[in-house]
Amino acid sequence: MRPLRACLLILTLLTPLSAMSEGERAGEFDYYVMSLSWSPNWCELTGDARRSPQCDADKHHGWTLHGLWPQFTRGYPSYCQSGQRPPNRTQTGAMADIMGTGGLAWHQWKKHGSCSGLDPADYFALSREAYGRINRPEVFRKLDRTVALPAAVVEEAFLKANPDLTAQGITITCKQDHIQEARICLSRDLEFIPCGPDVRRDCSLDNAVFTPVR
């Protein structure tokens, strides 16, 4: 009987996981995380190897929109079941000016936008509105050489440029000793709000690499 009981227990444990893997219901979330990526660092670590057009010198990308992510108080939904028609190439390509490439826009819709409850046109419009609401510190675009700085300096620059933003509403992430992203928490109406505890994971580096705009 023991092997039978063990099999039944395993089946019981696996059943919820299988259901969760199919994706949550679209439109059910608590707030948004807007993720801004410092494009020159992404290019140095990843994009150049991929020969991404985002990294072409004539693009002059600084803080690009990585994505607008529906978020729960803890955790986040992804790859949701949605009755919306996927975006077409015209819609994703039109986001390249702030996202770097249409390919990223497609991926962000598939993983995150599908959970918003919006159709692609409205989701991308909301993403563009969110991007436009944050003042991206100009000081970083003035760098003429690679520098090492505390990640806290990047957060302080965003707070200074956005007086209504609080330290609880932004987190700076790092990757391979480089500044990676500024993640800003927004209500469903795109107002600044405190981030959930699982989002507040500030990079603590004192000498994070920051490369200049190309």
Side-chain angles (χ1 to χ4, degrees):
M1 292 296 292
R2 288 183 179 179
L4 177 59
R5 289 178 181 175
C7 289
L8 290 174
L9 177 60
I10 291 172
L11 287 173
T12 301
L13 293 173
L14 286 178
T15 299
L17 293 177
S18 298
M20 287 178 64
S21 69
E22 295 174 358
E24 292 85 352
R25 184 178 299 176
E28 295 186 357
F29 63 96
D30 297 315
Y31 67 99
Y32 287 110
V33 173
M34 178 175 61
S35 180
L36 303 177
S37 172
W38 183 247
S39 183
N41 280 2
W42 179 80
C43 290
E44 182 168 299
L45 295 177
T46 303
D48 287 341
R50 295 181 181 178
R51 297 183 179 179
S52 172
Q54 176 177 336
C55 304
D56 292 347
D58 62 342
K59 294 296 191 295
H60 306 297
H61 284 307
W63 293 105
T64 54
L65 177 66
H66 182 175
L68 185 67
W69 306 335
Q71 188 84 14
F72 294 129
T73 301
R74 288 185 179 274
Y76 62 90
S78 61
Y79 299 104
C80 292
Q81 299 178 351
S82 172
Q84 302 293 344
R85 185 185 298 273
N88 57 46
R89 289 189 178 183
T90 299
Q91 290 173 311
T92 56
M95 295 299 291
D97 63 320
I98 63 171
M99 297 188 76
T101 65
L104 175 60
W106 164 256
H107 173 74
Q108 289 299 306
W109 160 259
K110 185 178 179 182
K111 183 174 181 179
H112 299 288
S114 62
C115 298
S116 68
L118 303 173
D119 64 29
D122 287 341
Y123 173 71
F124 289 138
L126 189 70
S127 298
R128 188 175 290 278
E129 182 181 352
Y131 182 77
R133 286 198 180 195
I134 187 75
N135 294 319
R136 298 171 296 282
E138 285 293 327
V139 63
F140 299 117
R141 295 192 66 89
K142 297 177 181 179
L143 292 175
D144 58 5
R145 59 185 175 83
T146 298
V147 298
L149 47 72
V153 168
V154 181
E155 180 173 308
E156 290 169 4
F158 271 93
L159 293 175
K160 183 176 181 180
N162 299 272
D164 293 333
L165 180 63
T166 69
Q168 290 72 40
I170 181 172
T171 189
I172 304 300
T173 67
C174 294
K175 182 179 181 180
Q176 297 178 30
D177 296 329
H178 287 61
I179 294 293
Q180 181 190 28
E181 294 180 345
R183 297 178 180 175
I184 298 162
C185 296
L186 304 168
S187 70
R188 294 177 70 132
D189 295 326
L190 303 185
E191 300 296 330
F192 294 132
I193 61 170
C195 299
D198 57 336
V199 175
R200 294 199 299 266
R201 298 180 178 179
D202 281 325
C203 173
S204 59
L205 290 178
D206 289 326
N207 57 345
V209 177
F210 208 106
T211 58
V213 171
R214 299 181 172 191

